[in-house]
Amino acid sequence: MKKWDLYFLRLAREVSKNSKCLSRKIGAVLVRDKAVISTGYNGAPRKAKNCNERTVDFYKNLDYHFGGKACYKVEETEIDVCPRRMFNYKSGQGLHLCQAGHAERNALIQAARSGVSTLGSTLYCYCPLPCKECMIEIINAGVSRLVFLEGADYDGYSRVLLEESDIIIKRINGEAL
């Protein structure tokens, strides 16, 4: 195992601590020539409120407008759990209630915002294999190497896309960090 891989994956773990997400804390570090070119963590868009800063009534109305049905009555006025959990959505469902951008996307967007090319870079993700939507963007951004944690794939399609790409992958056991 390369010591640089551990170093940058540990850095991605530190970046993940900036996330205000009540469900998952994920961080990503984009690197070229052993230098960080961008970082990202999952969270709300710039200047938007985090989910824990919104009210329960906001989510009840949002769920209603999107055609969902509250699975149980929520009495609290402050959010201390992921809003999707308030409506008993399973992991990966009820995403219309989530305004968080994924860490991988945010790292790519931050590089673009700064005018930094991602072509030929390595993306370190403090999570298992990224989701299909992020994988599409990772491939299209020209990332040549992807380092992430061992664990169950979020979805099967991201694996298919990865196998059809020429991205080099490295899975790292989280206990090594």
Side-chain angles (χ1 to χ4, degrees), residues 120-161:
S121 61
T122 298
L123 184 61
Y124 293 86
C125 303
Y126 186 66
C127 64
L129 181 67
C131 72
K132 173 191 70 97
E133 288 80 14
C134 287
M135 191 59 66
I136 291 168
E137 294 174 17
I138 291 165
I139 293 166
N140 286 341
V143 171
S144 62
R145 190 163 174 267
L146 185 60
V147 181
F148 52 93
L149 298 175
E150 290 179 347
D153 292 353
Y154 188 70
D155 59 54
Y157 210 176
S158 59
R159 169 73 47 199
V160 170
L161 294 173

Side-chain angles (χ1 to χ4, degrees), residues 3-15:
K3 70 176 185 175
W4 286 107
D5 286 341
L6 287 176
Y7 172 76
F8 288 119
L9 202 51
R10 287 177 182 139
L11 187 55
R13 178 180 60 195
E14 287 303 308
V15 170

Side-chain angles (χ1 to χ4, degrees), residues 13-40:
R13 178 180 60 195
E14 287 303 308
V15 170
S16 76
K17 294 176 183 177
N18 285 327
S19 173
K20 306 298 183 276
C21 181
L22 297 172
S23 179
R24 299 178 76 193
K25 306 239 185 258
I26 297 176
V29 176
L30 200 52
V31 173
R32 188 180 318 101
D33 299 324
K34 297 180 185 161
V36 174
I37 59 174
S38 181
T39 65

Side-chain angles (χ1 to χ4, degrees), residues 42-103:
N42 56 326
R46 294 172 189 270
K47 299 183 182 181
K49 292 179 180 180
N50 292 301
C51 53
N52 64 333
E53 297 171 317
R54 298 188 186 276
T55 65
V56 170
D57 284 338
F58 170 84
Y59 288 105
K60 285 181 179 177
N61 290 332
L62 186 64
D63 196 49
Y64 172 77
H65 291 302
F66 281 91
K69 297 177 183 170
C71 296
Y72 66 98
K73 196 169 188 166
V74 179
E75 299 295 336
E76 301 82 16
T77 57
E78 291 190 19
I79 307 295
D80 61 354
V81 297
C82 175
R84 295 178 299 127
R85 303 296 181 262
M86 292 188 314
F87 295 96
N88 287 339
Y89 284 110
K90 295 177 183 175
S91 181
Q93 295 178 343
L95 294 176
H96 63 280
L97 295 176
C98 182
Q99 72 267 5
H102 290 188

